[in-house]
Amino acid sequence: MEHQRTLYKQRGYSEDLLPKIEEQRTWKTFNYFTLWMGSVHNVPNYVMVGGFFILGLSTFSIMLAIILSAFFIAFVMVMNGAAGSKYGVPFAMILRASYGVRGALFPGLLRGGIAAIMWFGLQCYAGSLAFLILLGKIWPAFLTLGGDFNLLGLSLPGLIAFLIFWLINVGIGFGGGKVLNKFTAVLNPCIYIVFGGMAIWAISLVGIGPILDYLPSGVQKSENSGFLFLVVINAVVAVWAAPAVSASDFTQNARSFREQAWGQTLGLVVAYVLFAIAGVCIIAGASIHYGMDTWNVLDIVQKWDSLFASFFAVLVILMTTISTNATGNIIPAGYQIAAIAPTKLTYKNGVLIASIISLIICPWKLMENQDSIYLFLDIIGGMLGPVIGVMMAHYFVVMRSQINLDELYTAAGDFKYYDNGFNLTAFSVTLVAVVLSLGGKFIPVMEPLSRVSWFVGVIFAFAAYALLKKRNVAVNNHPQNNAI
């Protein structure tokens, strides 16, 4: 391994993109168990639970669908991270195996350069609103600072809160996996206390019976519950399209495949069992108690009389936002931007560039139209699902879990994989899968497919790529084709 790393350094690759040596691969089962808890328990996910009630499903059905989703998420995170845990290589380099040295730049930028940066800015702004609540409870006069001051739509208190929270997120990003591990170890017990406590609070207020019978005002019980049950699972799993694509950014630190597999599976299942119970009980219980449909946990927390309880809950929600932003956005963005120019940029350069861009796009302006935000993220998810399918088919079916690292860490201008560095089969399959996944947004007859877009994209891309590549190998190995 040391000989390989020296060779790749001579080819100009930065330390951040090199395969990890054994001493650097220190993450154990517990590290992965704590990794994703904050990414499950965050404000957008709780709002999403409120949206599930509109479908007319029973409370129990929603809980069960969310819990089942955890197994699909864990399977994809573990399997698409298998190459990372085997070779100690980040996503930006693993992607080259299936799409080519040049071809990897497009899906890589889509994940790390567009989706991650945009969502990083949006999460920073959403978190800053919670931070503003926290500052207002500690120092009420802070909310009046600056008078009529306005910078591109932000008041002075809003600007200060955003910049402080943005800097905290950037700092966690600079620290990378080591800092994130310590952060999540502190966060996890707090999540159990806050969201578990909120669930108990909601049940004690209205009782478990009314919660199980809850339906939002004006919503009728659905008659097509089987398909809508699958729609809920798809919605929960689709949120993980981006993290699942870049799973190797975290599994590259694993001591073994077994450790990351057990850690991620147990962590995600436990997190989603708590989330399913807490999310449904909190949203339904608070809506019944306050006499109005209340789907945002921040709105619920603000109504509490206890200053300490409100303060602690908002603080933990802020921490979950930071954890989500690090694992899902800024760390993948840092690696992907570094991979654009591996001889000139490092991971920290990538984090800095991504952070600055997230400021320039003025995320508070983007949040003025939430429909366009979720349409954009839905489209990104629909495009990344097929990428997951292609990556897994290439690694497990075509390559049979064997990757030649020398061909990934190629010298500048030397494209070992595919014609001129592009895998046209991968791009063709991805394009067709994207059309099948998202076509329903524009073509009414395909609308049912778009409601389960993640499953359609991943399954079609996996099957089509595996079949096409296997056929190509069989044709190329035919005796007539090998004749001189």
Side-chain angles (χ1 to χ4, degrees):
M1 179 61 76
E2 279 297 341
H3 171 73
Q4 284 179 299
R5 283 169 54 87
T6 301
L7 175 62
Y8 304 154
K9 280 184 180 179
Q10 291 171 352
R11 292 176 179 175
Y13 290 90
S14 67
E15 176 68 31
D16 302 306
L17 296 176
L18 296 179
K20 295 281 191 294
I21 59 175
E22 189 174 343
E23 288 74 15
Q24 294 173 308
R25 301 172 66 178
T26 57
W27 286 30
K28 304 176 184 178
T29 300
F30 181 74
N31 299 119
Y32 288 100
F33 178 81
T34 62
L35 180 62
W36 300 113
M37 181 71 79
S39 298
V40 174
H41 294 272
N42 56 64
V43 174
N45 277 358
Y46 277 86
V47 173
M48 181 172 65
V49 171
F52 292 155
F53 282 107
I54 295 177
L55 298 174
L57 288 171
S58 69
T59 300
F60 179 76
S61 294
I62 294 172
M63 282 186 186
L64 182 60
I66 292 172
I67 292 171
L68 288 177
S69 302
F71 292 93
F72 289 104
I73 296 166
F75 175 79
V76 175
M77 295 295 293
V78 169
M79 300 310 289
N80 207 39
S85 60
K86 181 174 182 177
Y87 294 99
V89 174
F91 157 70
M93 304 306 296
I94 293 292
L95 193 59
R96 290 182 166 195
S98 47
Y99 282 87
V101 174
R102 282 181 170 173
L105 290 177
F106 176 72
L109 280 175
L110 186 68
R111 193 281 176 255
I114 298 177
I117 293 175
M118 179 179 174
W119 198 232
F120 177 76
L122 290 170
Q123 287 275 29
C124 281
Y125 177 62
S128 74
L129 297 178
F131 188 42
L132 201 56
I133 294 172
L134 200 65
L135 292 172
K137 286 187 176 292
I138 300 171
W139 178 21
F142 174 78
L143 300 179
T144 63
L145 290 179
D148 296 330
F149 173 89
N150 187 291
L151 179 66
L152 298 174
L154 275 184
S155 65
L156 183 60
L159 178 63
I160 293 171
F162 174 74
L163 290 176
I164 292 174
F165 193 66
W166 175 82
L167 283 170
I168 293 170
N169 279 266
V170 174
I172 296 289
F174 273 124
K178 290 182 180 179
V179 172
L180 180 63
N181 247 317
K182 295 176 182 178
F183 184 81
T184 54
V186 174
L187 172 62
N188 270 28
C190 298
I191 287 175
Y192 286 107
I193 293 169
V194 168
F195 292 105
M198 287 182 73
I200 294 170
W201 164 81
I203 293 170
S204 68
L205 284 176
V206 301
I208 193 66
I211 288 176
L212 291 175
D213 294 333
Y214 169 74
L215 274 177
S217 55
V219 175
Q220 298 294 322
K221 204 156 193 175
S222 172
E223 296 179 0
N224 189 16
S225 57
F227 178 69
L228 291 176
F229 185 83
L230 186 59
V231 168
V232 171
I233 294 177
N234 182 81
V236 177
V237 176
V239 170
W240 290 81
V245 166
S246 55
S248 291
D249 282 340
F250 299 97
T251 59
Q252 65 172 328
N253 301 304
R255 296 203 307 183
S256 67
F257 171 81
R258 180 185 175 86
E259 299 234 23
Q260 68 97 351
W262 274 109
Q264 291 200 92
T265 301
L266 291 173
L268 284 163
V269 170
V270 169
Y272 267 106
V273 168
L274 174 61
F275 173 73
I277 297 171
V280 167
C281 290
I282 292 167
I283 299 300
S287 296
I288 296 167
H289 175 68
Y290 292 117
M292 58 183 293
D293 295 326
T294 307
W295 296 347
N296 191 327
V297 288
L298 285 174
D299 293 338
I300 297 169
V301 167
Q302 284 189 82
K303 293 176 181 177
W304 290 352
D305 295 327
S306 171
L307 177 62
F308 173 78
S310 301
F311 180 89
F312 183 63
V314 173
L315 181 63
V316 172
I317 290 169
L318 281 171
M319 291 171 71
T320 64
T321 304
I322 293 170
S323 174
T324 303
N325 236 359
T327 53
N329 301 316
I330 197 62
I331 289 177
Y335 280 117
Q336 190 54 53
I337 291 174
I340 295 172
T343 61
K344 296 181 175 66
L345 297 175
T346 65
Y347 165 76
K348 289 187 176 180
N349 295 150
V351 169
L352 182 61
I353 292 169
S355 303
I356 292 172
I357 295 173
S358 74
L359 274 180
I360 294 172
I361 63 174
C362 298
W364 54 92
K365 286 290 184 185
L366 295 173
M367 283 194 73
E368 289 176 358
N369 187 347
Q370 292 192 4
D371 289 340
S372 62
I373 292 170
Y374 286 106
L375 176 62
F376 173 81
L377 291 171
D378 198 19
I379 290 172
I380 291 292
M383 296 176 77
L384 290 177
V387 174
I388 295 172
V390 168
M391 289 179 69
M392 290 177 62
H394 184 84
Y395 181 67
F396 288 106
V397 179
V398 179
M399 303 296 290
R400 297 187 179 182
S401 304
Q402 300 297 321
I403 292 179
N404 186 337
L405 293 183
D406 289 343
E407 293 180 341
L408 294 188
Y409 291 87
T410 183
D414 181 14
F415 305 116
K416 301 282 188 181
Y417 275 124
Y418 316 113
D419 295 332
N420 208 26
F422 287 92
N423 182 356
L424 293 179
T425 303
F427 275 96
S428 301
V429 168
T430 302
L431 181 61
V432 175
V434 167
V435 170
L436 288 174
S437 298
L438 301 176
K441 296 188 179 300
F442 313 101
I443 305 170
V445 72
M446 296 178 66
E447 194 269 343
L449 291 180
S450 71
R451 301 195 74 181
V452 287
S453 57
W454 188 88
F455 284 105
V456 170
V458 173
I459 294 171
F460 175 84
F462 183 94
Y465 185 84
L467 288 171
L468 286 172
K469 276 295 181 182
K470 279 291 187 181
R471 182 177 178 277
N472 288 343
V473 170
V475 169
N476 292 333
N477 288 338
H478 194 280
Q480 290 182 346
N481 295 329
N482 293 328
I484 298 176

